Amino acid sequence: MSTLTIKEMIAKRVAMEIKEGTIVNLGIGIPTMVANYIPENKSVYLHTENGLLGVGPSPEKGKEDPEIINAGKLPVTAQKGAAYFSSSESFAMIRGGHIDTVVLGALQVSETGDLANWAVPGKDILGVGGAMDLVVGAKEVIIATQHCKEGNPKIVNHCDIPLTAQGVVSTLISEYAVFRFKDNEMILEELDKGCTIEKLKEITPANFIISPSLKAYSVE
């Protein structure tokens, strides 16, 4: 039996999606944890928008360097050969289409791949951050999120909170399922063995298609 928490399980499954030799930006929350599950023998270049290419796994407790942090202000490590640069240069990489994959969390995702992840109704809005630039500039957008929040589904027919961007999501990974988005349709590709299609539909207002090659969700 896996000893991973739900968030760790999602992060580990996302790490399996990361392709060899790609430049990947990890957002805050669950995406940050992905760095801890990328195999040592896989060559991946992790990018953080505050100016570091070559992010490594989280540092051991007591060995944090306060000057090496990610965009979420969490301590990270730098791999051998890592490069440091200004935030403006970092965003030039993003806007110039040089980021292969971005992994972000979500408040809502629609059945057509619309993403809302920057403004919570009724709460203070501090700013958009880099999410809009990232989802438009990256070649692939992976959403790492728990399926529901406080019992409320996050995968919906239509987003009813401010959008980050329309139709940008490539893949969504929750603790129950893996969905792919293609031609404005959401396709269920993997399902956790402890979850049925009926249960998944109960917690997923969005309409989705079941892949004819549906597989069991696994992090092994």
Side-chain angles (χ1 to χ4, degrees):
M1 179 180 291
S2 174
T3 58
L4 298 175
T5 66
I6 289 175
K7 292 182 179 181
E8 289 170 340
M9 182 176 71
I10 295 170
K12 188 173 182 180
R13 179 61 188 82
V14 171
M16 295 167 62
E17 290 288 306
I18 305 300
K19 301 176 183 66
E20 178 79 19
T22 53
I23 296 176
V24 182
N25 181 285
L26 301 178
I28 61 175
I30 295 174
T32 301
M33 302 165 66
V34 173
N36 297 330
Y37 297 102
I38 295 176
E40 291 184 4
N41 61 355
K42 181 182 282 188
S43 180
V44 173
Y45 306 95
L46 298 182
H47 170 273
T48 177
E49 63 201 63
N50 58 319
L52 173 61
L53 181 63
V55 178
S58 300
E60 295 178 22
K61 190 172 182 178
K63 294 187 177 181
E64 301 90 345
D65 184 335
E67 294 188 353
I68 305 179
I69 59 174
N70 62 19
K73 298 182 176 62
L74 296 174
V76 295
T77 57
Q79 295 180 324
K80 185 177 180 179
Y84 298 90
F85 35 85
S86 68
S87 181
S88 60
E89 290 174 306
S90 181
F91 272 86
M93 293 173 64
I94 295 167
R95 294 166 182 164
H98 303 292
I99 305 299
D100 295 301
T101 301
V102 58
V103 182
L104 296 173
L107 297 172
Q108 287 182 336
V109 174
S110 80
E111 61 192 41
T112 56
D114 298 343
L115 171 65
N117 75 344
W118 71 277
V120 181
K123 294 191 177 182
D124 292 339
I125 296 177
L126 301 178
V128 178
M132 289 184 181
D133 292 285
L134 285 164
V135 296
V136 173
K139 300 178 181 69
E140 176 186 37
V141 177
I142 298 174
I143 299 302
T145 182
Q146 289 184 253
H147 214 90
C148 301
K149 182 176 182 180
E150 298 175 352
N152 297 313
K154 300 175 74 172
I155 308 169
V156 296
N157 295 110
H158 306 284
C159 298
D160 57 12
I161 59 178
L163 288 182
T164 303
Q166 292 181 303
V168 293
V169 179
S170 308
T171 302
L172 184 149
I173 297 174
S174 77
E175 69 270 37
Y176 294 115
V178 176
F179 294 100
R180 311 281 185 198
F181 293 80
K182 186 176 181 180
D183 299 327
N184 289 325
E185 292 183 325
M186 188 168 75
I187 304 165
L188 175 64
E189 296 282 357
E190 296 181 22
L191 181 65
D192 181 76
K193 62 183 180 181
C195 184
T196 64
I197 294 292
E198 290 71 24
K199 178 182 176 181
L200 188 68
K201 287 183 176 179
E202 287 178 6
I203 59 175
T204 312
N207 295 303
F208 59 87
I209 297 169
I210 302 172
S211 171
S213 57
L214 180 65
K215 301 187 299 183
Y217 182 116
S218 175
V219 294
E220 301 302 327

